[in-house]
Amino acid sequence: MPRQLHLNAFLMNTGHHEASWRLPESDPHAHVDLDHYVRLARTAERGTFDSLFLADGPQLWSSVAQRPAGALEPLTLLTALATATEHIGLIATASTSYNSPYNLARKFASLDIVSKGRAGWNIVTTAGAEAARNFGLDAEPAHAERYARAAEFLDVARLLWDSWEDDTVVADKAAGVWGDDARIHPPRHRGTYFRVEGALNVPRTPQGYPLLVQAGSSEDGKRFAARYAEAVFTAQQTLADAQAFYADLKARTAAAGRDPGHIKVLPGIVPVVGSTEAEARRLERVLEEHIVHEHGVHRLEELLRLAPGTLDLDGPLPDGLPPEDEIEGAKSRYTLIVELARRERLTVRQLVGRLGGGRGHLTFAGTPEQVADTIGRWFAEGAADGFNIMPAVLPSGLETFVDQVVPILRARGLFRTEYGPRRTLRERYGLPRPANQHVTPHAPEPAPAAALV
């Protein structure tokens, strides 16, 4: 079968553009409205998307003035959406920095069982002092330490998901034996960050493990992805940068002893679609006109580690910004934003406008054909295995993409017309179900977690 796109619907309250909530069509309370998310999920399923994706973080923004803030906990919301959909994958973000392996492994196993094999975990290490202080820490752990902890977290989670063999439940009513204790394998893990003794209290799931997704593009993030990730969400502004990232990550995955075809690279794209190019530009201008620049400047100063009042709205970014290796937070996003501003000689006002649509992800305004052309080109030229679709406005942006862009991708043979017999999210991504490490011999593991430090 010819290679086809993977499309993921990244859902964010009223849309990814920070001013989307101010449009007449938008409901500023949609971020806590289950019916809103059910409508979005069913629209994406009508478009035969591979999956839905919900971002998350364990902190509230320092200001709630900019846009709808606060969000329903994603595993809870996706469990509800599992009952409102039949095919589409359900990917939740959860942090390895501020969770424990046992509880999180149990939650994802439960979602996978409830959804009949559609769960995915977007693994994040959570940057930012705000989140750290919510968990009793004075400052965020160092970048390398967060990834070392994440590596051990994943190793323990996989032990937990494998702690039940697939045929543990025998349900022998005549003999009075429900399960076989010999097929339970407690982790009995003693590590640097975690001590986990007992087996999971949830049986092995339809997928074995949830689809493992990762979103970091720093050096530590890419090393982690090569070892563990099966899909990678990334932000790339140019085709050349996307091609370089794609080639690098596939090579790292092969070097880690894994099939590079078993890791899918999905850049984010914020499409603003109009019936004509002029109409698309008009829709883009309307959104930009609703940006409150003071909010954007404040967030930009926080990201760049600058004191409030440092940036001149109509001037360029200042010289002398710290290099990436001095940043402990979102390293790759920091570099992307600084390079974007320098490369295109943007003023702070212009940069805030560009970031307002997708926070550093590729934004594209055009006709359905032009959007499909861009997606097809990146897919064909070694820059992507698919895309994280990030509608600027919801629900209209997702509906337009499904109704006007998806048919073009289908007509070009780039995207499925129906879900077909592949039922689980792993099957849809062309991935094997992981063998239980206690039962079936499998390929040697790549380098130990310590090598990620």
Side-chain angles (χ1 to χ4, degrees), residues 272-285 365-366:
V272 179
V273 185
S275 56
T276 64
E277 189 172 348
E279 172 66 9
R281 298 294 181 194
R282 186 191 68 78
L283 294 172
E284 188 176 48
R285 282 196 305 274

Side-chain angles (χ1 to χ4, degrees), residues 2 4-5 7 47-48 368-369 372-373 401-418:
Q4 289 192 321
L5 287 160
L7 294 182
T48 61
E369 291 78 10
D373 289 346
F401 190 92
V402 166
D403 291 336
Q404 298 185 28
V405 180
V406 167
I408 297 171
L409 298 174
R410 287 172 172 168
R412 295 177 181 180
L414 295 176
F415 194 54
R416 69 176 68 87
T417 58
E418 59 182 1

Side-chain angles (χ1 to χ4, degrees), residues 301-320:
E301 287 174 337
E302 285 186 337
L303 185 141
L304 299 177
R305 308 298 193 269
L306 299 174
T310 300
L311 294 177
D312 175 2
L313 194 58
D314 293 307
L317 290 185
D319 295 328

